[in-house]
Amino acid sequence: MSSLTVLFGVAGLLALAAAIVPKLVADRPFSVPLVMLVAGIVLGLLPLPAPYGNGWGDPAAHLHGVESFTQLGILVSLAGAGLSVDRPFGLRRWSSTWRLLALTMPLSILAIAALGHWWLALAPGVALVLASALAPTDPVLAGDVGVPHPDVEPELARDNEIRFTLTTEAGLNDGLAMPFVLLGLALAGSEPELDVSWVLVDLLLPLAIGVAVGLASGRLLGWAIFRTASDRIRLAEYADGLVLLALAFLPYALSEVVHGNGFVAVFVAAVAVRTQEREHEYHGVLHAFGHQLERLFVPLALLGLGLAVGDGLLAGLRPLEVVIAVVAVLVVRPVVGWLCLLGAPSPGRPATAAIAFFGVRGIGTLYYLAFALNRLPMPQQDVLWRVGALAVAVSVLVHGILAEPAIQRIEQLGGHLPAR
């Protein structure tokens, strides 16, 4: 039996599971990602034929595949997340998001990099790559605590501070992690060039270009979808969800061509489209199509991670690697997030604690590890994969069980509305 046959069989089972599992786990204390992760681990323990003669538990043999698939998943999820944001842009209205991005994220990266250097004896550049890969929160896996589509529950999309902050943070930090990863790669290289011009041109300028391209392409796509005079061209008249893929891919490609940050461009473009037209029922079509794609990408990504874990990805795992993965997800982010949100116009302590705690790790971590190791093979890269995979697994387990009950409880108590 060939590995391709196995892949087709797994893909068919996965499509069936994507339709059935959400119904089975509804109102239960575990999530679809957790179910698929466990299923992947079980499959990984079976003697399945692996692709290309390499084991499923050897990410180094599949770096290009891991990078491409996770990149595709991120792009689709960023477009969907951006279209769900229904709160007007503003420094005060988005203040909790800005604090998480400008303070919590870099401070968390610094703390985890220091722990990786001290506890795991990683070189500074390698430790920074690991910390940067662990920084992005996931707009797909955060679905239980994220913003629902505005057409379904408009008050949660606009006025729920917890869900809004976690969604916008996840939408932007996938792109904002890139400068830290590139800095780590430069430090890990044999001849790093860390002058001021490199920092400005290679690290900071792409972010500005990504925002500009996102705004421009978002306005253009919004015009084509909702505003153009010809009903033959006006895309909203056709109820075709494939337009979501245009929103996911075009801003990314345009931004990358001019050396911008493509992930930032996609999220900004999606927010710009939503800003141009908030009430049209076509948003529901795009949301439904994006949600179906996410229901495929999430199980497949978690199934793949589970396969790798079951097939030996964590072989050689040391106690300190377990400690740093757990500390990164369950200590560093909650503590740093709580401190950075102090004084923000928040709806109270329970909501602040929830925002700080539910920084869900997911395919962004896997993407950045593959991205970095594709460009610069590093010593101890097996350590990076073990810590990264374990951090995602811990997040899927803990956040998957606690997210929905905790958020619903806070909402029932009324502690989710932003300060006015």
Side-chain angles (χ1 to χ4, degrees):
M1 182 170 56
S2 70
S3 59
L4 185 60
T5 301
V6 173
L7 287 175
F8 281 138
V10 171
L13 290 174
L14 178 63
L16 187 61
I20 295 175
V21 173
K23 281 74 174 178
L24 296 178
V25 302
D27 301 321
R28 298 180 185 274
F30 45 86
S31 63
V32 174
L34 177 57
V35 172
M36 300 311 297
L37 177 65
V38 173
I41 293 174
V42 172
L43 286 175
L45 295 172
L46 300 177
L48 299 176
Y52 315 118
N54 299 107
W56 293 99
D58 181 17
H62 317 296
L63 283 179
H64 291 288
V66 173
E67 181 182 346
S68 298
F69 180 81
T70 52
Q71 181 183 38
L72 186 59
I74 291 171
L75 292 176
V76 171
S77 67
L78 290 178
L83 287 173
S84 296
V85 175
D86 204 36
R87 184 184 298 184
F89 177 83
L91 292 178
R92 180 174 175 80
R93 295 188 185 100
W94 290 45
S95 63
S96 295
T97 302
W98 302 139
R99 284 171 177 255
L100 291 177
L101 296 174
L103 298 175
T104 301
M105 183 176 176
L107 290 176
S108 297
I109 290 174
L110 180 62
I112 297 170
L115 293 177
H117 179 61
W118 294 335
W119 291 358
L120 303 180
L122 298 176
V126 178
L128 182 56
V129 167
L130 174 61
S132 303
L134 292 175
T137 53
D138 198 289
V140 177
L141 294 180
D144 287 338
V145 294
V147 172
H149 195 265
D151 293 343
V152 179
E153 298 182 79
E155 73 283 355
L156 291 186
R158 182 176 57 254
D159 297 328
N160 189 302
E161 186 72 7
I162 303 172
R163 296 178 184 269
F164 170 82
T165 300
L166 291 172
T167 297
T168 50
E169 178 204 11
L172 286 168
N173 66 14
D174 276 305
L176 294 179
M178 181 63 79
F180 296 97
V181 173
L182 295 176
L183 180 59
L185 288 174
L187 290 172
S190 57
E191 297 180 0
E193 299 179 2
L194 304 180
D195 55 24
V196 174
S197 63
W198 181 84
V199 171
L200 293 176
V201 174
D202 290 353
L203 294 189
L204 300 181
L205 184 59
L207 296 176
I209 294 175
V211 172
V213 171
L215 288 172
S217 58
R219 291 187 66 84
L220 181 61
L221 286 170
W223 172 83
I225 294 171
F226 300 110
R227 307 285 187 181
T228 180
S230 172
D231 57 5
R232 290 180 176 271
I233 301 176
R234 196 182 313 122
L235 299 174
E237 300 296 326
Y238 296 97
D240 192 341
L242 287 172
V243 174
L244 180 80
L245 296 181
L247 184 57
F249 299 155
L250 285 176
Y252 179 84
L254 291 172
S255 181
E256 292 291 323
V257 164
V258 293
H259 305 291
N261 189 306
F263 288 158
V264 170
V266 172
F267 184 74
V268 171
V271 173
V273 168
R274 181 73 199 187
T275 300
Q276 286 190 65
E277 174 54 64
R278 299 183 185 278
E279 306 299 331
H280 200 288
E281 61 185 12
Y282 184 59
H283 284 297
V285 176
L286 295 178
H287 171 70
F289 182 73
H291 184 59
Q292 287 184 326
L293 290 179
E294 290 171 2
R295 285 172 59 189
L296 183 62
F297 277 112
V298 171
L300 188 56
L302 271 298
L303 188 76
L305 179 61
L307 275 170
V309 171
D311 196 42
L313 176 62
L314 300 183
L317 185 68
R318 295 177 291 165
L320 277 177
E321 294 171 7
V322 177
V323 171
I324 198 170
V326 173
V327 166
V329 175
L330 302 181
V331 178
V332 172
R333 158 63 190 231
V335 172
V336 176
W338 171 270
L339 293 174
C340 292
L341 289 171
L342 291 177
S346 70
R349 290 185 178 181
T352 299
I355 293 171
F357 182 75
F358 289 111
V360 185
R361 267 52 177 188
I363 58 177
T365 294
L366 305 179
Y367 168 77
Y368 277 115
L369 286 177
F371 173 90
L373 296 174
N374 255 332
R375 285 149 185 80
L376 181 66
M378 300 178 187
Q380 298 179 285
Q381 68 179 33
D382 54 336
V383 175
L384 303 188
W385 279 115
R386 289 198 296 263
V387 174
L390 189 59
V392 173
V394 168
S395 181
V396 169
L397 174 64
V398 176
H399 295 142
I401 292 175
L402 297 179
E404 191 64 17
I407 301 300
Q408 286 185 355
R409 179 60 177 168
I410 294 172
E411 289 171 350
Q412 288 170 1
L413 296 175
H416 62 281
L417 299 177
R420 300 297 182 183

